Amino acid sequence: MAQEKRVYTMTIAGLKRDLPLCRLNEHMSIAAFVIFGDVEITVASAQELLKKAPEFDVLITAEAKGIPLVYEMARQSGKPYYIARKYPKLYMPNPISVQVRSITTDKEQTLYLDAEEMEAIRGRRVLIVDDVISTGESLHALEKLVERSEGIVAGRCAILAEGDAAKREDIFFLEPLPLFAD
């Protein structure tokens, strides 16, 4: 007999979604928000975040789940975007790196920007974008890359702020996402 799938139902940017509950550890579960493949939620969320955004010149996100959102925000705003990669690529002759450990990652990771991308950010107002902010570690790593690029952090945003992140005053987001005690 199949076990019934547990979900958390919420409305995001006016759209109802059922998020599967996934066990984080023996005491807690999280609701998994996966933006990949959901064009409707990506477009609507980008539009709503841009309404809340301060003035900015460029956008940045970390690979991978923020990519659809940052692309759509760039498309709607007409502003360029950059992606901090998880691995240096051949087209990055001079990659600069920072360390990050996210709640959804089982080990420490490194994020990379190429020196040319960092030069393009220098002196510009940068909007940091993510799909979900939980511990804020990915956000912090992106801030470090912007600072090393001599860019100016204009704002920090996400579709959802999970757990205590919803209490932060230095971010803006569309909806809070609770943690679930088991």
Side-chain angles (χ1 to χ4, degrees):
M1 188 171 187
Q3 186 176 359
E4 185 176 327
K5 184 176 178 180
R6 298 183 328 151
V7 298
Y8 175 68
T9 302
M10 67 182 305
T11 301
I12 305 164
L15 303 168
K16 182 180 164 191
R17 292 295 183 268
D18 291 329
L19 308 182
L21 293 179
C22 303
R23 187 174 296 280
L24 187 60
N25 58 42
E26 63 185 51
H27 304 289
M28 188 168 300
S29 292
I30 59 173
F33 175 67
V34 180
I35 195 170
F36 292 134
D38 194 337
V39 174
E40 184 180 36
I41 201 89
T42 303
V43 171
S45 295
Q47 184 175 29
E48 293 305 311
L49 285 169
L50 286 170
K51 287 178 186 176
K52 295 180 166 206
E55 291 291 320
F56 66 93
D57 303 309
V58 300
L59 302 122
I60 190 169
T61 196
E63 191 174 40
K65 286 175 34 183
I67 294 173
L69 179 61
V70 79
Y71 165 79
E72 183 59 24
M73 290 176 74
R75 189 190 70 76
Q76 289 182 25
S77 69
K79 306 284 175 87
Y81 70 95
Y82 298 93
I83 298 168
R85 305 300 302 263
K86 290 182 181 174
Y87 302 98
K89 304 297 180 185
L90 292 175
Y91 64 81
M92 298 173 131
N94 299 304
I96 308 299
S97 66
V98 295
Q99 302 293 311
V100 63
R101 184 179 189 94
S102 149
I103 192 171
T104 55
T105 307
D106 63 351
K107 61 182 190 299
E108 189 168 81
Q109 292 184 318
T110 306
L111 292 178
Y112 298 87
L113 273 182
D114 188 62
E116 278 187 31
E117 295 168 320
M118 293 179 80
E119 184 59 36
I121 290 171
R122 183 182 317 274
R124 300 181 83 193
R125 297 169 297 181
V126 182
L127 182 59
I128 298 173
V129 177
D130 209 346
D131 62 328
V132 179
I133 296 172
S134 294
T135 63
E137 289 300 314
S138 298
L139 208 64
H140 183 66
L142 288 168
E143 287 175 351
K144 284 174 31 180
L145 281 173
V146 171
E147 288 167 7
R148 287 183 71 184
S149 301
E150 297 179 23
I152 303 143
V153 175
R156 302 154 192 85
C157 69
I159 298 171
L160 304 175
E162 186 171 54
D164 286 342
K167 298 174 188 170
R168 291 179 60 160
E169 294 183 9
D170 64 329
I171 64 172
F172 63 96
F173 55 94
L174 300 182
E175 297 295 334
L177 184 62
L179 295 171
F180 301 87
D182 289 330

